Amino acid sequence: MTSFQTLTVLVPAYNEAEVIDAFHRRLATVLDGLTLDSRVLYVDDGSRDDTWARIVALAAVDARVRALRLSRNFGKEAAMTAGLDHVDSDALVVIDADLQDPPELIPALLQRAADGFDVVYATRARRDGETWFKKLTSASFYRAMERLSNTPVPRDTGDFRLMNRRAVQAVNALRERQRFMKGLFAWIGYRQASLVYDRDARNAGTTKWNYWRLANLAIEGVTSFSTAPLRVASWTGLAAALLSFAYAAWVFVKAMIWGDPVRGYPTLMVVILFLGGAQLLAIGLIGEYVGRTYAETKRRPLYYVEDRQGDLPLPPHE
């Protein structure tokens, strides 16, 4: 099918005990049909349920299973980074354990990569099991990123993708602390292609992505790959200043011609609130970027591994 000899399927998991057995059964069926030397690398991102125990049980009956358990919940971006650090194969597929992304699509990803692509990302044509509001906000985010960032993130595309060894090594070289993996996958460049599919509803369990976490991820993505918000703050400040100067000139002219009776309290409050709001917005945007600079300068490790299953290559920093 491809020139690949080895394949690793990277599965970040957080509190997925209800679905991980069903996921592995479907994944194992797919891997059984491949001619590649295949492995599965589960990364337990500090789960609070029986996810790790289920993974250990899977490793006991399937020699292809390798696993990492992080010392706490570092977040999905860090969990994927940990997995990427411990992979040494010709091809890597990143997929979630909730079965929204079908493992049966892996052969199609491999076939697409055979055309000479370094990265093949799966683009969602349909998203079952999600509310209209989530679909709307997700579509709006990707289109905003497309306009704001110099490195556009592919529309309607999650983390489900295939990368060859060169692409994995390129992503691993990016050690920034504030990580937006979808942006990093796109930033490395190389030859990338899309594979359109229909996304299923979650098989079991509940999503870990509420609107608050999704909003924070969106802010992370925008501020990590674009300075456009700072430019917006600058232009907003300039517009506010011009309006203020124009209004001041009008007040002066009006006072010189018609006098200045004591009136205009509502107008004064509107002006003060407008200028104050514009200033707070600018300060908040600057604070987001300063906070990210502060986090980068501390250079804390991206994750810590508490336990591991199977033989795994050690990353250079361990």
Side-chain angles (χ1 to χ4, degrees):
M1 180 180 292
T2 70
S3 60
F4 301 136
Q5 300 298 317
T6 55
L7 168 69
T8 297
V9 180
L10 170 59
V11 188
Y14 177 64
N15 291 345
E16 298 290 5
E18 296 181 43
V19 72
I20 202 162
D21 289 334
F23 168 81
H24 189 77
R25 283 194 297 270
R26 285 177 56 177
L27 177 62
T29 300
V30 173
L31 298 183
D32 289 340
L34 299 177
T35 58
L36 303 177
D37 178 12
S38 303
R39 291 185 176 185
V40 184
L41 175 55
Y42 289 101
V43 180
D44 180 8
D45 186 25
S47 297
R48 299 178 181 178
D49 60 3
D50 294 331
T51 298
W52 180 247
R54 299 289 180 90
I55 292 173
V56 172
L58 291 174
V61 298
D62 191 339
R64 295 172 297 195
V65 173
R66 308 288 187 272
L68 294 171
R69 185 183 190 186
L70 303 188
S71 61
R72 65 170 178 84
N73 178 230
F74 287 90
K76 185 182 178 183
E77 314 298 292
M80 284 191 290
T81 301
L84 290 169
D85 286 344
H86 290 80
V87 167
D88 183 18
S89 59
D90 297 330
L92 168 76
V93 170
V94 182
I95 186 172
D96 292 339
D98 55 18
L99 288 175
Q100 289 185 281
D101 302 324
E104 292 79 9
L105 202 63
I106 292 176
L109 293 173
L110 289 165
Q111 189 64 57
R112 192 79 172 96
D115 296 332
F117 293 102
D118 296 277
V119 179
V120 181
Y121 52 85
T123 300
R124 305 155 183 164
R126 192 182 71 235
R127 305 175 62 165
D128 293 337
E130 297 184 359
T131 64
W132 68 268
F133 183 72
K134 185 174 181 180
K135 294 177 183 178
L136 175 63
T137 54
S138 177
S140 301
F141 165 72
Y142 284 111
R143 282 149 183 79
M145 282 293 295
E146 193 174 63
R147 291 181 174 273
L148 296 178
S149 175
N150 293 327
T151 307
V153 177
R155 291 187 179 186
D156 306 315
T157 299
D159 298 310
F160 185 27
R161 68 191 62 220
L162 179 144
M163 295 184 288
N164 64 13
R165 185 185 297 271
R166 180 170 73 157
V168 171
Q169 291 174 344
V171 174
N172 284 343
L174 308 175
R175 305 309 295 180
E176 56 199 66
R177 270 60 189 166
Q178 304 294 319
R179 303 183 71 78
F180 179 66
M181 296 302 292
K182 299 175 187 64
L184 295 180
F185 292 147
W187 186 88
I188 63 171
Y190 297 131
R191 296 192 63 193
Q192 304 201 12
S194 172
L195 182 68
V196 179
Y197 76 110
D198 293 328
R199 197 177 199 217
D200 299 327
R202 169 177 275 273
N203 184 271
T206 57
T207 181
K208 314 308 180 295
W209 290 97
N210 54 36
Y211 286 113
W212 174 254
R213 295 187 67 183
L214 288 171
N216 286 332
L217 181 64
I219 294 173
E220 192 76 58
V222 172
T223 55
S224 294
F225 286 89
S226 175
T227 58
L230 292 176
R231 295 194 185 98
V232 170
S234 299
W235 285 109
T236 301
L238 177 61
L242 292 176
L243 288 174
S244 300
F245 291 144
Y247 183 70
W250 162 247
V251 170
F252 178 77
V253 171
K254 185 177 68 171
M256 291 294 294
I257 298 177
W258 295 291
D260 186 23
V262 181
R263 289 184 301 179
Y265 176 77
T267 304
L268 180 62
M269 290 302 299
V270 169
V271 172
I272 292 175
L273 291 175
F274 173 73
L275 293 177
Q279 290 171 347
L280 290 176
L281 173 64
I283 293 172
L285 289 173
I286 294 171
E288 287 289 336
Y289 285 92
V290 171
R292 276 147 181 75
T293 304
Y294 173 63
E296 293 294 332
T297 58
K298 289 186 290 187
R299 302 195 62 80
R300 290 175 179 170
L302 299 176
Y303 60 87
Y304 279 113
V305 176
E306 179 178 336
D307 197 359
R308 64 184 73 212
Q309 291 284 318
D311 57 315
L312 290 167
L314 291 177
H317 58 276
E318 284 196 6

